[in-house]
Each structure stands twice: as structure tokens, then as C-alpha cells.
């Protein structure tokens, strides 16, 4: 009924282009408008003022001859005060924007190698936005924002990059593992050296205590038993030590020690060998 009476409704965030006998008359804002058709008035079309987004995928080559797919996201909208330009000057807005994006990306990316392309994607986005802003403002459109949302190399290149990254990480891990093993070996050697040092101190103190005890025993026995010599006392001590040793060996079921020659008479030979060794050592020191 409204159209028969020449009334139309323009929705919010849109404008209508009014013509009279095919000639542009004015831009109608949101609301109700009267267009008497009998005088040749009509609505040529409706133009949305809402923010729109266009994703453009562009294939190009980097400076180091790697083919990549660059995905740019363009956010744009028509300007209300230039609605006539936006409606009449462009027949296909998306194709026009896509052509400018292709031109800028294919002029910028070939100047950069692959790593620099990833690092400077914000610079590429600014270059695309600047070029689009200058070009599309003449057609009544505003470029709100331009984003480079993805840079996708060829699958084989991506696989090679992942392998290089994995190899570098494995090399770092191997270096860290070797360094850790080196530290462990150093600490283990330091611990063994300290243990042997302390064990040596213990053995030295033990032998010193044995020597002191033997000396005191020899002196006490010589004083209490007249006529005995130090040699007699040492022979008796050696026999006592011999029987103590045999007792300890016999008490162990897993002992594999063997004394050759075996018998109490062998103690005398052992004592003679020790005594001769000490006399030879003293003569060598005196000479």
C-alpha cells in the first residue's frame, strides 16, 4: 500500500539512492520518505553503511624464491556523505579492493625474504591500508583497518622449516644434556676424591693407633716380665694377630682368602720378612 501511495521505508544503517526519471536526485536517510512515482521518482538502490569485511588470499613469491599465500582481511564501509559515489562509481566494490590488495602485496613481499615477511607483516598491512585508503576514498569508501591474518608457505617449505627448528632444539638439548653429564662426572669425581681422602685419614689414624698400642704393650710386657726382649714380644703379638685373623676368616661363610704357607710356623717367616724389610729401608735412608 505504501509503495502504491509513493511512500518507502529506509532502515537504520542504510541509505537509499533516489532518482527521478533515471537521474540521481538525492540520498535518503533512514526513515519514511514520500516518492510520488507519477513524477518519475524511484529508489535506484539501497546502500549499507555497516562495517564489512573482505578476506583476500594472494599468492606471491618472496625474495628467497619461496611461494607463500598471504591472507589479508580488509574492513571497510561506505561513507554516508559520499553515498552517491559509492553507489554509482563502482560496479563491484569487492573486486576493486581485491585488485589493489594484490597489487600492493605482490609489490611488497618480493622485496623480503621469508623470515622478514613474517617479521614485517604489520608493515605490509600498513602499506596495503595506505594504498587502499587513497584509492577507495575517491569512490566513497572508508578503509577502517587492514590485517595480515596469515602467511602460509608451501607445504614442503613449512615441513623443512619445522625440521630445521626441531634440529636446532635437539642440538640445544644435546648440549644441555652433555653439560649436565659433565657436571655430574665432576661432582662424582670430587666426591670420590674426598671419600678417598677421608678414608686415607681414617686408615692412617687406625695404623697410628695400632702402632701406639703395640708400643705401649711391648713396653708394659718388658717391664712386667724380666728377661724378655722386644723381639719376643713382637713374635707373640704376631702369633696373636695370626689366630685372630684365622678366627675372622673361619667365621665368614663366604670368605675366599687363602694363606700360603699355612700354619703357625709361618708367622716366624712373616716376622723375619717384615724385620728384613724394615732394616733394608733404614739402610737405604742412611746411605
Amino acid at each position: 500500500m505504501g509503495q502504491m501511495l509513493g511512500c518507502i521505508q529506509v532502515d537504520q544503517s542504510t541509505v537509499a539512492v533516489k532518482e527521478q526519471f533515471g537521474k540521481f536526485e538525492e540520498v535518503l536517510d533512514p526513515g519514511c520518505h514520500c516518492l510520488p512515482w507519477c513524477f518519475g521518482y524511484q529508489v535506484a538502490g539501497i546502500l549499507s553503511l555497516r562495517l564489512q569485511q573482505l578476506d583476500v588470499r594472494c599468492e606471491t613469491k618472496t625474495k628467497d624464491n619461496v611461494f607463500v599465500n598471504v591472507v589479508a582481511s580488509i574492513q571497510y564501509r561506505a561513507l554516508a556523505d559520499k553515498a552517491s559515489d559509492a553507489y554509482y562509481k563502482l560496479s563491484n566494490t569487492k573486486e576493486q579492493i581485491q585488485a589493489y590488495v594484490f597489487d600492493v602485496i605482490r609489490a611488497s613481499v618480493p622485496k623480503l625474504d621469508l623470515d622478514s615477511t613474517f617479521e614485517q607483516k604489520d608493515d605490509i598491512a600498513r602499506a596495503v591500508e595506505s594504498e587502499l585508503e587513497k584509492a577507495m576514498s575517491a569512490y566513497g569508501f572508508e578503509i577502517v583497518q587492514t590485517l595480515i591474518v596469515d602467511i602460509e608457505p608451501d607445504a614442503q617449505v613449512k615441513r623443512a622449516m619445522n625440521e630445521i627448528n626441531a634440529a636446532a632444539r635437539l642440538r640445544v638439548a644435546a648440549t644441555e644434556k652433555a653439560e649436565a653429564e659433565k657436571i655430574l662426572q665432576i661432582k662424582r669425581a670430587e666426591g670420590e676424591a674426598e671419600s678417598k681422602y677421608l678414608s686415607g685419614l681414617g686408615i692412617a689414624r687406625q695404623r697410628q693407633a695400632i702402632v701406639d698400642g703395640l708400643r705401649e704393650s711391648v713396653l708394659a710386657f718388658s717391664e712386667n716380665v724380666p728377661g724378655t726382649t722386644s723381639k719376643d714380644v713382637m713374635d707373640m703379638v704376631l702369633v696373636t694377630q695370626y689366630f685372630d685373623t684365622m678366627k675372622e676368616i673361619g667365621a665368614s661363610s663366604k670368605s675366599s682368602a687363602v694363606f700360603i704357607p699355612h700354619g703357625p710356623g709361618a708367622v716366624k717367616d712373616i716376622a723375619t720378612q717384615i724385620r728384613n724389610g724394615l732394616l733394608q729401608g733404614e739402610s737405604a735412608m742412611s746411605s
Side-chain angles (χ1 to χ4, degrees):
M1 181 65 68
Q3 293 180 353
M4 293 179 62
L5 296 177
C7 294
I8 65 164
Q9 173 184 313
V10 181
D11 295 332
Q12 186 65 34
S13 299
T14 60
V15 292
V17 179
K18 178 182 176 182
E19 293 181 346
Q20 184 180 22
F21 296 113
K23 180 182 178 181
F24 172 72
E25 181 72 18
E26 64 176 335
V27 176
L28 302 179
D29 295 327
C32 183
H33 300 273
C34 182
L35 275 76
W37 56 269
C38 57
F39 293 106
Y41 292 109
Q42 65 176 355
V43 174
I46 302 296
L47 183 66
S48 175
L49 301 180
R50 294 174 180 172
L51 185 68
Q52 302 181 61
Q53 178 169 311
L54 174 64
D55 292 332
V56 181
R57 177 181 291 269
C58 176
E59 184 180 16
T60 185
K61 185 178 72 170
T62 62
K63 188 177 181 179
D64 48 353
N65 297 321
V66 178
F67 283 90
V68 294
N69 285 313
V70 181
V71 180
S73 181
I74 314 299
Q75 298 176 356
Y76 67 99
R77 63 187 172 193
L79 297 173
D81 55 343
K82 293 184 178 181
S84 59
D85 293 336
Y87 184 79
Y88 287 105
K89 287 187 176 182
L90 287 179
S91 60
N92 193 320
T93 305
K94 293 184 178 181
E95 287 187 0
Q96 186 73 17
I97 293 176
Q98 183 174 337
Y100 281 111
V101 172
F102 279 1
D103 181 67
V104 176
I105 289 178
R106 287 174 176 169
S108 302
V109 173
K111 299 177 182 178
L112 306 171
D113 56 28
L114 184 59
D115 292 337
S116 299
T117 302
F118 281 97
E119 294 171 359
Q120 300 182 28
K121 69 174 188 175
D122 291 339
D123 296 336
I124 299 173
R126 282 192 291 268
V128 173
E129 183 175 346
S130 176
E131 187 66 24
L132 282 176
E133 187 67 34
K134 290 187 294 183
M136 299 304 294
S137 61
Y139 300 111
F141 285 92
E142 176 191 10
I143 304 300
V144 178
Q145 192 170 17
T146 301
L147 302 172
I148 301 297
V149 296
D150 192 16
I151 299 175
E152 192 175 315
D154 182 75
Q156 294 181 354
V157 176
K158 188 185 297 185
R159 191 180 305 113
M161 293 173 64
N162 290 335
E163 290 176 356
I164 292 172
N165 189 20
R169 292 181 180 275
L170 288 174
R171 185 166 59 251
V172 172
T175 303
E176 294 295 332
K177 182 179 180 181
E179 189 67 24
E181 291 179 352
K182 174 184 174 183
I183 294 173
L184 287 175
Q185 291 179 359
I186 292 174
K187 293 299 182 182
R188 190 180 297 114
E190 291 177 352
E192 291 178 357
E194 184 68 19
S195 175
K196 290 180 180 179
Y197 172 75
L198 295 176
S199 177
L201 288 179
I203 293 174
R205 291 173 181 173
Q206 179 186 14
R207 291 177 177 175
Q208 183 64 40
I210 292 173
V211 171
D212 293 340
L214 289 174
R215 183 176 61 251
E216 292 177 0
S217 299
V218 169
L219 293 176
F221 193 85
S222 299
E223 292 177 358
N224 295 327
V225 182
T228 59
T229 63
S230 299
K231 177 180 178 301
D232 297 333
V233 177
M234 287 301 299
D235 290 341
M236 187 184 66
V237 170
L238 286 174
V239 171
T240 304
Q241 291 292 326
Y242 170 79
F243 284 112
D244 290 341
T245 302
M246 296 303 296
K247 179 180 178 181
E248 291 180 2
I249 293 174
S252 177
S253 60
K254 297 181 180 180
S255 177
S256 58
V258 177
F259 278 86
I260 300 176
H262 175 63
V267 178
K268 182 178 181 181
D269 296 335
I270 296 173
T272 304
Q273 294 175 12
I274 294 174
R275 190 179 303 107
N276 293 336
L278 292 175
L279 292 176
Q280 290 177 4
E282 291 178 357
S283 61
M285 293 177 60
S286 62
S287 60

mmCIF file of all heavy atoms in Angstrom, residues 120-161:
data_model
loop_
_atom_site.group_PDB
_atom_site.id
_atom_site.type_symbol
_atom_site.label_atom_id
_atom_site.label_comp_id
_atom_site.label_asym_id
_atom_site.label_seq_id
_atom_site.Cartn_x
_atom_site.Cartn_y
_atom_site.Cartn_z
ATOM 1 N N GLN A 120 57.717 -8.638 9.320
ATOM 2 C CA GLN A 120 57.253 -7.318 8.885
ATOM 3 C C GLN A 120 55.828 -7.364 8.327
ATOM 4 O O GLN A 120 55.465 -6.549 7.470
ATOM 5 C CB GLN A 120 58.214 -6.756 7.834
ATOM 6 C CG GLN A 120 59.638 -6.596 8.341
ATOM 7 C CD GLN A 120 60.566 -5.986 7.303
ATOM 8 O OE1 GLN A 120 60.127 -5.227 6.438
ATOM 9 N NE2 GLN A 120 61.850 -6.307 7.385
ATOM 10 N N LYS A 121 55.022 -8.290 8.783
ATOM 11 C CA LYS A 121 53.659 -8.370 8.266
ATOM 12 C C LYS A 121 52.834 -7.133 8.640
ATOM 13 O O LYS A 121 51.930 -6.740 7.890
ATOM 14 C CB LYS A 121 52.969 -9.645 8.753
ATOM 15 C CG LYS A 121 52.656 -9.695 10.236
ATOM 16 C CD LYS A 121 51.852 -10.941 10.553
ATOM 17 C CE LYS A 121 51.356 -10.923 11.991
ATOM 18 N NZ LYS A 121 50.476 -12.078 12.289
ATOM 19 N N ASP A 122 53.152 -6.500 9.768
ATOM 20 C CA ASP A 122 52.442 -5.262 10.120
ATOM 21 C C ASP A 122 52.776 -4.140 9.143
ATOM 22 O O ASP A 122 51.909 -3.326 8.802
ATOM 23 C CB ASP A 122 52.799 -4.839 11.544
ATOM 24 C CG ASP A 122 52.237 -5.790 12.593
ATOM 25 O OD1 ASP A 122 51.272 -6.517 12.270
ATOM 26 O OD2 ASP A 122 52.772 -5.819 13.712
ATOM 27 N N ASP A 123 54.032 -4.089 8.686
ATOM 28 C CA ASP A 123 54.407 -3.087 7.692
ATOM 29 C C ASP A 123 53.685 -3.332 6.375
ATOM 30 O O ASP A 123 53.255 -2.386 5.694
ATOM 31 C CB ASP A 123 55.923 -3.114 7.474
ATOM 32 C CG ASP A 123 56.704 -2.732 8.721
ATOM 33 O OD1 ASP A 123 56.124 -2.025 9.567
ATOM 34 O OD2 ASP A 123 57.875 -3.136 8.843
ATOM 35 N N ILE A 124 53.542 -4.607 6.000
ATOM 36 C CA ILE A 124 52.801 -4.926 4.780
ATOM 37 C C ILE A 124 51.341 -4.509 4.924
ATOM 38 O O ILE A 124 50.744 -3.946 3.990
ATOM 39 C CB ILE A 124 52.913 -6.432 4.479
ATOM 40 C CG1 ILE A 124 54.376 -6.827 4.252
ATOM 41 C CG2 ILE A 124 52.075 -6.810 3.265
ATOM 42 C CD1 ILE A 124 54.594 -8.325 4.116
ATOM 43 N N ALA A 125 50.753 -4.762 6.091
ATOM 44 C CA ALA A 125 49.355 -4.376 6.319
ATOM 45 C C ALA A 125 49.181 -2.860 6.233
ATOM 46 O O ALA A 125 48.203 -2.363 5.652
ATOM 47 C CB ALA A 125 48.901 -4.887 7.688
ATOM 48 N N ARG A 126 50.140 -2.107 6.780
ATOM 49 C CA ARG A 126 50.036 -0.641 6.705
ATOM 50 C C ARG A 126 50.163 -0.144 5.263
ATOM 51 O O ARG A 126 49.485 0.814 4.867
ATOM 52 C CB ARG A 126 51.103 0.000 7.590
ATOM 53 C CG ARG A 126 50.759 -0.013 9.072
ATOM 54 C CD ARG A 126 51.690 0.878 9.869
ATOM 55 N NE ARG A 126 53.028 0.321 9.919
ATOM 56 C CZ ARG A 126 53.453 -0.491 10.901
ATOM 57 N NH1 ARG A 126 52.621 -0.838 11.869
ATOM 58 N NH2 ARG A 126 54.687 -0.952 10.907
ATOM 59 N N ALA A 127 51.040 -0.795 4.487
ATOM 60 C CA ALA A 127 51.187 -0.402 3.086
ATOM 61 C C ALA A 127 49.908 -0.661 2.306
ATOM 62 O O ALA A 127 49.473 0.172 1.490
ATOM 63 C CB ALA A 127 52.359 -1.159 2.464
ATOM 64 N N VAL A 128 49.269 -1.813 2.547
ATOM 65 C CA VAL A 128 48.001 -2.128 1.881
ATOM 66 C C VAL A 128 46.922 -1.136 2.291
ATOM 67 O O VAL A 128 46.167 -0.612 1.451
ATOM 68 C CB VAL A 128 47.574 -3.570 2.208
ATOM 69 C CG1 VAL A 128 46.177 -3.854 1.653
ATOM 70 C CG2 VAL A 128 48.572 -4.573 1.646
ATOM 71 N N GLU A 129 46.847 -0.830 3.577
ATOM 72 C CA GLU A 129 45.821 0.094 4.066
ATOM 73 C C GLU A 129 46.017 1.492 3.495
ATOM 74 O O GLU A 129 45.049 2.158 3.116
ATOM 75 C CB GLU A 129 45.856 0.130 5.594
ATOM 76 C CG GLU A 129 44.790 1.008 6.210
ATOM 77 C CD GLU A 129 44.766 0.922 7.723
ATOM 78 O OE1 GLU A 129 45.395 -0.001 8.279
ATOM 79 O OE2 GLU A 129 44.122 1.783 8.348
ATOM 80 N N SER A 130 47.272 1.951 3.434
ATOM 81 C CA SER A 130 47.539 3.286 2.891
ATOM 82 C C SER A 130 47.135 3.388 1.429
ATOM 83 O O SER A 130 46.504 4.368 1.004
ATOM 84 C CB SER A 130 49.024 3.611 3.056
ATOM 85 O OG SER A 130 49.335 4.852 2.459
ATOM 86 N N GLU A 131 47.466 2.366 0.647
ATOM 87 C CA GLU A 131 47.124 2.386 -0.780
ATOM 88 C C GLU A 131 45.618 2.307 -0.981
ATOM 89 O O GLU A 131 45.046 3.012 -1.830
ATOM 90 C CB GLU A 131 47.817 1.218 -1.484
ATOM 91 C CG GLU A 131 47.690 1.226 -2.982
ATOM 92 C CD GLU A 131 48.406 2.385 -3.640
ATOM 93 O OE1 GLU A 131 49.352 2.916 -3.022
ATOM 94 O OE2 GLU A 131 48.009 2.760 -4.763
ATOM 95 N N LEU A 132 44.951 1.454 -0.208
ATOM 96 C CA LEU A 132 43.503 1.335 -0.328
ATOM 97 C C LEU A 132 42.792 2.616 0.096
ATOM 98 O O LEU A 132 41.795 3.026 -0.522
ATOM 99 C CB LEU A 132 43.002 0.165 0.522
ATOM 100 C CG LEU A 132 43.188 -1.241 -0.046
ATOM 101 C CD1 LEU A 132 42.731 -2.277 0.973
ATOM 102 C CD2 LEU A 132 42.418 -1.414 -1.341
ATOM 103 N N GLU A 133 43.308 3.250 1.153
ATOM 104 C CA GLU A 133 42.685 4.484 1.644
ATOM 105 C C GLU A 133 42.712 5.567 0.569
ATOM 106 O O GLU A 133 41.713 6.278 0.339
ATOM 107 C CB GLU A 133 43.403 4.964 2.903
ATOM 108 C CG GLU A 133 42.752 6.145 3.597
ATOM 109 C CD GLU A 133 41.403 5.795 4.195
ATOM 110 O OE1 GLU A 133 41.226 4.653 4.651
ATOM 111 O OE2 GLU A 133 40.516 6.674 4.187
ATOM 112 N N LYS A 134 43.857 5.693 -0.101
ATOM 113 C CA LYS A 134 43.963 6.712 -1.151
ATOM 114 C C LYS A 134 43.072 6.383 -2.346
ATOM 115 O O LYS A 134 42.465 7.284 -2.944
ATOM 116 C CB LYS A 134 45.422 6.823 -1.608
ATOM 117 C CG LYS A 134 46.343 7.432 -0.583
ATOM 118 C CD LYS A 134 47.732 7.682 -1.146
ATOM 119 C CE LYS A 134 48.435 6.389 -1.494
ATOM 120 N NZ LYS A 134 49.813 6.612 -1.988
ATOM 121 N N ALA A 135 42.985 5.110 -2.685
ATOM 122 C CA ALA A 135 42.218 4.733 -3.869
ATOM 123 C C ALA A 135 40.713 4.726 -3.610
ATOM 124 O O ALA A 135 39.929 5.245 -4.419
ATOM 125 C CB ALA A 135 42.669 3.356 -4.357
ATOM 126 N N MET A 136 40.296 4.137 -2.472
ATOM 127 C CA MET A 136 38.863 3.934 -2.235
ATOM 128 C C MET A 136 38.156 5.167 -1.713
ATOM 129 O O MET A 136 36.918 5.248 -1.782
ATOM 130 C CB MET A 136 38.668 2.770 -1.252
ATOM 131 C CG MET A 136 39.199 1.442 -1.747
ATOM 132 S SD MET A 136 38.514 0.933 -3.333
ATOM 133 C CE MET A 136 36.799 0.673 -2.892
ATOM 134 N N SER A 137 38.887 6.146 -1.163
ATOM 135 C CA SER A 137 38.225 7.380 -0.696
ATOM 136 C C SER A 137 37.586 8.133 -1.850
ATOM 137 O O SER A 137 36.561 8.821 -1.666
ATOM 138 C CB SER A 137 39.239 8.271 0.022
ATOM 139 O OG SER A 137 40.290 8.646 -0.860
ATOM 140 N N ALA A 138 38.158 8.000 -3.048
ATOM 141 C CA ALA A 138 37.572 8.675 -4.220
ATOM 142 C C ALA A 138 36.263 8.028 -4.647
ATOM 143 O O ALA A 138 35.470 8.636 -5.377
ATOM 144 C CB ALA A 138 38.565 8.646 -5.379
ATOM 145 N N TYR A 139 36.014 6.806 -4.195
ATOM 146 C CA TYR A 139 34.785 6.099 -4.544
ATOM 147 C C TYR A 139 33.769 6.086 -3.405
ATOM 148 O O TYR A 139 32.772 5.372 -3.473
ATOM 149 C CB TYR A 139 35.105 4.662 -4.947
ATOM 150 C CG TYR A 139 36.029 4.567 -6.139
ATOM 151 C CD1 TYR A 139 37.324 4.113 -5.998
ATOM 152 C CD2 TYR A 139 35.606 4.952 -7.410
ATOM 153 C CE1 TYR A 139 38.173 4.018 -7.076
ATOM 154 C CE2 TYR A 139 36.454 4.874 -8.506
ATOM 155 C CZ TYR A 139 37.749 4.403 -8.329
ATOM 156 O OH TYR A 139 38.586 4.322 -9.416
ATOM 157 N N GLY A 140 34.040 6.844 -2.356
ATOM 158 C CA GLY A 140 33.072 6.960 -1.270
ATOM 159 C C GLY A 140 33.165 5.871 -0.216
ATOM 160 O O GLY A 140 32.200 5.650 0.524
ATOM 161 N N PHE A 141 34.334 5.206 -0.117
ATOM 162 C CA PHE A 141 34.512 4.148 0.881
ATOM 163 C C PHE A 141 35.640 4.513 1.843
ATOM 164 O O PHE A 141 36.635 5.142 1.452
ATOM 165 C CB PHE A 141 34.821 2.812 0.216
ATOM 166 C CG PHE A 141 33.623 2.162 -0.430
ATOM 167 C CD1 PHE A 141 33.334 2.394 -1.769
ATOM 168 C CD2 PHE A 141 32.788 1.339 0.309
ATOM 169 C CE1 PHE A 141 32.232 1.799 -2.362
ATOM 170 C CE2 PHE A 141 31.678 0.750 -0.280
ATOM 171 C CZ PHE A 141 31.392 0.981 -1.623
ATOM 172 N N GLU A 142 35.481 4.089 3.097
ATOM 173 C CA GLU A 142 36.500 4.286 4.128
ATOM 174 C C GLU A 142 37.102 2.933 4.490
ATOM 175 O O GLU A 142 36.381 1.966 4.741
ATOM 176 C CB GLU A 142 35.881 4.919 5.373
ATOM 177 C CG GLU A 142 36.851 5.066 6.528
ATOM 178 C CD GLU A 142 36.170 5.454 7.823
ATOM 179 O OE1 GLU A 142 34.925 5.430 7.887
ATOM 180 O OE2 GLU A 142 36.889 5.772 8.794
ATOM 181 N N ILE A 143 38.432 2.880 4.479
ATOM 182 C CA ILE A 143 39.130 1.663 4.910
ATOM 183 C C ILE A 143 39.378 1.796 6.410
ATOM 184 O O ILE A 143 40.189 2.619 6.850
ATOM 185 C CB ILE A 143 40.445 1.468 4.146
ATOM 186 C CG1 ILE A 143 40.193 1.459 2.638
ATOM 187 C CG2 ILE A 143 41.133 0.189 4.589
ATOM 188 C CD1 ILE A 143 39.257 0.357 2.177
ATOM 189 N N VAL A 144 38.685 1.001 7.195
ATOM 190 C CA VAL A 144 38.772 1.106 8.655
ATOM 191 C C VAL A 144 40.050 0.453 9.165
ATOM 192 O O VAL A 144 40.797 1.031 9.956
ATOM 193 C CB VAL A 144 37.534 0.473 9.315
ATOM 194 C CG1 VAL A 144 37.650 0.536 10.841
ATOM 195 C CG2 VAL A 144 36.278 1.170 8.838
ATOM 196 N N GLN A 145 40.341 -0.758 8.706
ATOM 197 C CA GLN A 145 41.530 -1.477 9.182
ATOM 198 C C GLN A 145 41.896 -2.572 8.184
ATOM 199 O O GLN A 145 41.030 -3.161 7.534
ATOM 200 C CB GLN A 145 41.284 -2.082 10.566
ATOM 201 C CG GLN A 145 42.548 -2.581 11.254
ATOM 202 C CD GLN A 145 42.288 -2.944 12.707
ATOM 203 O OE1 GLN A 145 41.152 -3.130 13.117
ATOM 204 N NE2 GLN A 145 43.344 -3.058 13.489
ATOM 205 N N THR A 146 43.207 -2.805 8.106
ATOM 206 C CA THR A 146 43.724 -3.872 7.246
ATOM 207 C C THR A 146 44.631 -4.760 8.083
ATOM 208 O O THR A 146 45.543 -4.268 8.756
ATOM 209 C CB THR A 146 44.508 -3.305 6.054
ATOM 210 O OG1 THR A 146 43.640 -2.458 5.287
ATOM 211 C CG2 THR A 146 45.017 -4.425 5.163
ATOM 212 N N LEU A 147 44.384 -6.058 8.035
ATOM 213 C CA LEU A 147 45.163 -7.012 8.816
ATOM 214 C C LEU A 147 45.723 -8.096 7.899
ATOM 215 O O LEU A 147 45.023 -8.583 7.006
ATOM 216 C CB LEU A 147 44.304 -7.678 9.901
ATOM 217 C CG LEU A 147 43.627 -6.752 10.912
ATOM 218 C CD1 LEU A 147 42.666 -7.546 11.772
ATOM 219 C CD2 LEU A 147 44.658 -6.042 11.764
ATOM 220 N N ILE A 148 46.989 -8.471 8.143
ATOM 221 C CA ILE A 148 47.558 -9.660 7.507
ATOM 222 C C ILE A 148 47.363 -10.797 8.505
ATOM 223 O O ILE A 148 48.086 -10.906 9.494
ATOM 224 C CB ILE A 148 49.047 -9.464 7.166
ATOM 225 C CG1 ILE A 148 49.225 -8.269 6.224
ATOM 226 C CG2 ILE A 148 49.614 -10.727 6.534
ATOM 227 C CD1 ILE A 148 48.551 -8.419 4.883
ATOM 228 N N VAL A 149 46.365 -11.615 8.258
ATOM 229 C CA VAL A 149 45.969 -12.621 9.246
ATOM 230 C C VAL A 149 46.724 -13.934 9.088
ATOM 231 O O VAL A 149 46.770 -14.746 10.023
ATOM 232 C CB VAL A 149 44.448 -12.872 9.175
ATOM 233 C CG1 VAL A 149 43.689 -11.623 9.554
ATOM 234 C CG2 VAL A 149 44.036 -13.338 7.784
ATOM 235 N N ASP A 150 47.342 -14.158 7.922
ATOM 236 C CA ASP A 150 48.038 -15.433 7.739
ATOM 237 C C ASP A 150 49.061 -15.307 6.619
ATOM 238 O O ASP A 150 48.812 -14.648 5.612
ATOM 239 C CB ASP A 150 47.047 -16.548 7.419
ATOM 240 C CG ASP A 150 47.668 -17.933 7.510
ATOM 241 O OD1 ASP A 150 48.763 -18.044 8.102
ATOM 242 O OD2 ASP A 150 47.062 -18.899 7.001
ATOM 243 N N ILE A 151 50.219 -15.934 6.841
ATOM 244 C CA ILE A 151 51.244 -16.079 5.805
ATOM 245 C C ILE A 151 51.569 -17.561 5.752
ATOM 246 O O ILE A 151 52.130 -18.119 6.688
ATOM 247 C CB ILE A 151 52.501 -15.246 6.120
ATOM 248 C CG1 ILE A 151 52.154 -13.766 6.200
ATOM 249 C CG2 ILE A 151 53.574 -15.485 5.075
ATOM 250 C CD1 ILE A 151 53.305 -12.881 6.620
ATOM 251 N N GLU A 152 51.193 -18.194 4.673
ATOM 252 C CA GLU A 152 51.263 -19.643 4.590
ATOM 253 C C GLU A 152 52.226 -20.069 3.487
ATOM 254 O O GLU A 152 51.910 -19.952 2.298
ATOM 255 C CB GLU A 152 49.864 -20.195 4.308
ATOM 256 C CG GLU A 152 49.730 -21.684 4.473
ATOM 257 C CD GLU A 152 48.289 -22.130 4.307
ATOM 258 O OE1 GLU A 152 47.403 -21.468 4.873
ATOM 259 O OE2 GLU A 152 48.061 -23.116 3.594
ATOM 260 N N PRO A 153 53.422 -20.559 3.851
ATOM 261 C CA PRO A 153 54.352 -21.037 2.822
ATOM 262 C C PRO A 153 53.881 -22.360 2.220
ATOM 263 O O PRO A 153 52.924 -22.978 2.691
ATOM 264 C CB PRO A 153 55.672 -21.225 3.588
ATOM 265 C CG PRO A 153 55.449 -20.619 4.926
ATOM 266 C CD PRO A 153 53.990 -20.636 5.183
ATOM 267 N N ASP A 154 54.595 -22.795 1.181
ATOM 268 C CA ASP A 154 54.324 -24.089 0.587
ATOM 269 C C ASP A 154 54.512 -25.192 1.638
ATOM 270 O O ASP A 154 55.310 -25.049 2.572
ATOM 271 C CB ASP A 154 55.267 -24.303 -0.599
ATOM 272 C CG ASP A 154 55.003 -25.623 -1.303
ATOM 273 O OD1 ASP A 154 54.008 -25.720 -2.020
ATOM 274 O OD2 ASP A 154 55.816 -26.547 -1.108
ATOM 275 N N ALA A 155 53.779 -26.288 1.477
ATOM 276 C CA ALA A 155 53.799 -27.356 2.477
ATOM 277 C C ALA A 155 55.207 -27.927 2.670
ATOM 278 O O ALA A 155 55.632 -28.198 3.801
ATOM 279 C CB ALA A 155 52.831 -28.470 2.073
ATOM 280 N N GLN A 156 55.958 -28.110 1.589
ATOM 281 C CA GLN A 156 57.309 -28.646 1.702
ATOM 282 C C GLN A 156 58.232 -27.670 2.428
ATOM 283 O O GLN A 156 59.078 -28.072 3.238
ATOM 284 C CB GLN A 156 57.864 -28.964 0.316
ATOM 285 C CG GLN A 156 57.129 -30.097 -0.392
ATOM 286 C CD GLN A 156 57.730 -30.408 -1.749
ATOM 287 O OE1 GLN A 156 58.627 -29.707 -2.205
ATOM 288 N NE2 GLN A 156 57.227 -31.447 -2.395
ATOM 289 N N VAL A 157 58.060 -26.368 2.148
ATOM 290 C CA VAL A 157 58.870 -25.356 2.836
ATOM 291 C C VAL A 157 58.537 -25.342 4.326
ATOM 292 O O VAL A 157 59.429 -25.259 5.183
ATOM 293 C CB VAL A 157 58.638 -23.970 2.205
ATOM 294 C CG1 VAL A 157 59.393 -22.901 2.985
ATOM 295 C CG2 VAL A 157 59.056 -23.966 0.745
ATOM 296 N N LYS A 158 57.260 -25.440 4.639
ATOM 297 C CA LYS A 158 56.847 -25.458 6.045
ATOM 298 C C LYS A 158 57.427 -26.669 6.768
ATOM 299 O O LYS A 158 57.891 -26.565 7.906
ATOM 300 C CB LYS A 158 55.321 -25.480 6.132
ATOM 301 C CG LYS A 158 54.779 -25.310 7.537
ATOM 302 C CD LYS A 158 53.272 -25.460 7.554
ATOM 303 C CE LYS A 158 52.595 -24.392 6.750
ATOM 304 N NZ LYS A 158 51.125 -24.471 6.863
ATOM 305 N N ARG A 159 57.420 -27.828 6.077
ATOM 306 C CA ARG A 159 57.985 -29.033 6.676
ATOM 307 C C ARG A 159 59.486 -28.872 6.910
ATOM 308 O O ARG A 159 60.025 -29.265 7.953
ATOM 309 C CB ARG A 159 57.720 -30.228 5.771
ATOM 310 C CG ARG A 159 58.029 -31.584 6.416
ATOM 311 C CD ARG A 159 57.749 -32.726 5.457
ATOM 312 N NE ARG A 159 56.390 -32.675 4.953
ATOM 313 C CZ ARG A 159 56.070 -32.424 3.693
ATOM 314 N NH1 ARG A 159 57.029 -32.190 2.799
ATOM 315 N NH2 ARG A 159 54.820 -32.392 3.305
ATOM 316 N N ALA A 160 60.179 -28.265 5.926
ATOM 317 C CA ALA A 160 61.617 -28.048 6.074
ATOM 318 C C ALA A 160 61.920 -27.090 7.227
ATOM 319 O O ALA A 160 62.868 -27.298 7.996
ATOM 320 C CB ALA A 160 62.194 -27.505 4.774
ATOM 321 N N MET A 161 61.097 -26.036 7.362
ATOM 322 C CA MET A 161 61.291 -25.092 8.463
ATOM 323 C C MET A 161 61.090 -25.777 9.808
ATOM 324 O O MET A 161 61.840 -25.524 10.759
ATOM 325 C CB MET A 161 60.333 -23.908 8.311
ATOM 326 C CG MET A 161 60.603 -23.022 7.110
ATOM 327 S SD MET A 161 59.329 -21.761 6.882
ATOM 328 C CE MET A 161 59.525 -20.801 8.376
#
